[in-house]
């Protein structure tokens, strides 16, 4: 059986795609730090190029960009870790006292309905003491076991965290050279169309990154001011952390909410304080979901607000936590591909032949 040249080329591309997919599947754990390093390098590349235009050596610009990113991450960690370490001992000491107050209010109310309803404060106090004091190692072991992470995996994770900035540094130093080599592998007849696609994708992703930073900054200010107006002493670290953590959809908001409610519970020792903090976070979530993300992110990358919500839900369903992280940038790339396919279809004979003629 003889194949036509078009069939041979199609079969070759299918074979290349299958081999690439197989390699990606088999080497996924090894490739993950390199993929993340590539994402970091892509995000920092414009900054390094700007410094290079001002005659800053590329290796120095790459090092400064990586160091700046690590300082930002370290600052976020320093904001939230002291808050958590300070709240845990207070949780152990003050929650039983708060539950005792609830008992004095709840028991007479329940007695009116013929119920004997009381919280066993002594049991809660003993449970907190066992949970927090002297058993931290068991808690960590239990969490790691529930996450199915062994000691070797933790060591691999630590190694990847060290490896990623190193790989990102070398990618930033050789970025232009690597891009030119990758483009050289594209068949000459496809280079113009591929270059146009890459340029359009780069512009859309740049808009996404700028929009994401704008959303994070606005929410950091909103939560800090809102918690300060409520009277929360830890408004600044918790508000800034929550604003920056919204980069991770839902999870970042949820973690900030838990920390803020815990701080409010320990500071105010009353339900009204917790309710006010919850109201601040509820309003912030509404503003983020209904306005900031659809408008500042969706409009910048050309996605309708409904499409933004659908993309977040669809990618989270298909790929879990990682899917939520890549939902909007991946949707931006798919949007560029869809636009180009749509333009090609509208210019094709398949579409024009079916159109009514004047």
């Amino acid at each position: 059986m003889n194949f036509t040249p078009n069939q041979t080329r199609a079969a070759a591309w299918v074979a290349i795609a299958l081999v690439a997919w197989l390699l990606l599947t088999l080497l996924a754990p090894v490739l993950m730090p390199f993929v993340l390093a590539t994402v970091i390098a892509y995000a920092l590349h414009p900054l390094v190029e700007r410094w290079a235009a001002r005659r800053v050596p590329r290796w120095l610009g790459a090092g400064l960009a990586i160091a700046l990113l690590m300082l930002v991450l370290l600052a976020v960690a320093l904001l939230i870790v002291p808050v958590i370490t300070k709240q845990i001992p207070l949780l152990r000491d003050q929650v039983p006292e708060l539950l005792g107050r609830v008992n004095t209010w709840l028991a007479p109310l329940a007695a009116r309905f013929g119920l004997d309803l009381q919280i066993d404060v002594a049991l809660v106090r003993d449970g907190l003491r066992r949970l927090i004091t002297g058993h931290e190692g068991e808690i960590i072991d239990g969490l790691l076991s529930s996450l199915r992470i062994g000691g070797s995996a933790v060591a691999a994770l630590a190694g990847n965290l060290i490896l990623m900035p190193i790989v990102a540094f070398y990618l930033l130093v050789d970025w232009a050279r690597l891009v030119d080599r990758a483009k050289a592998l594209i068949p000459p007849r496809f280079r113009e169309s591929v270059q146009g696609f890459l340029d359009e994708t780069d512009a859309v992703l740049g808009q996404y990154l700028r929009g994401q930073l704008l959303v994070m900054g606005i929410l950091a200010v909103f939560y800090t001011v809102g918690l300060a107006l409520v009277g929360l002493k830890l408004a600044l670290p918790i508000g800034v952390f929550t604003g920056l953590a919204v980069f991770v959809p839902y999870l970042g908001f949820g973690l900030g909410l838990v920390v803020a409610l815990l701080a409010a519970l320990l500071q105010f020792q009353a339900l009204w304080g917790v309710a006010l903090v919850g109201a601040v976070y509820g309003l912030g979530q509404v503003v983020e979901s209904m306005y900031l993300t659809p408008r500042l992110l969706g409009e910048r990358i050309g996605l309708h607000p409904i499409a933004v919500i659908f993309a977040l839900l669809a990618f989270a369903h298909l790929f879990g936590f990682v899917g939520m992280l890549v939902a909007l940038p991946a949707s931006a790339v798919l949007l560029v591909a869809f636009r180009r396919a749509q333009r090609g279809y509208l210019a094709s004979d398949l579409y024009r032949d079916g159109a009514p003629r004047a």
Side-chain angles (χ1 to χ4, degrees), residues 118-168:
Q118 287 189 352
I119 300 174
D120 193 340
V121 178
L123 180 62
V124 173
R125 182 183 292 110
D126 292 339
L128 288 174
R129 185 177 294 112
R130 288 194 304 268
L131 182 66
I132 297 174
T133 306
H135 292 270
E136 291 82 359
E138 295 179 7
I139 297 174
I140 295 175
D141 291 341
L143 289 175
L144 294 179
S145 176
S146 65
L147 292 173
R148 299 180 182 179
I149 297 178
S152 59
V154 173
L157 177 61
N160 289 336
L161 291 177
I162 298 174
L163 178 63
M164 279 189 292
I166 296 175
V167 175

Side-chain angles (χ1 to χ4, degrees), residues 7 32 38 111 119 147 155 170 226 274 314 318 329 333:
Q7 291 174 335
M32 182 57 65
T38 303
I119 300 174
L147 292 173
Y170 285 109
V274 177
L318 293 174
V333 176

Side-chain angles (χ1 to χ4, degrees), residues 222-232 234-235 238-239 260 277 280-281:
F222 171 83
Y223 285 118
T224 300
V225 173
L227 295 177
L229 292 176
V230 169
L232 192 68
L234 298 173
I238 295 178
V277 170
V280 170
Y281 273 79

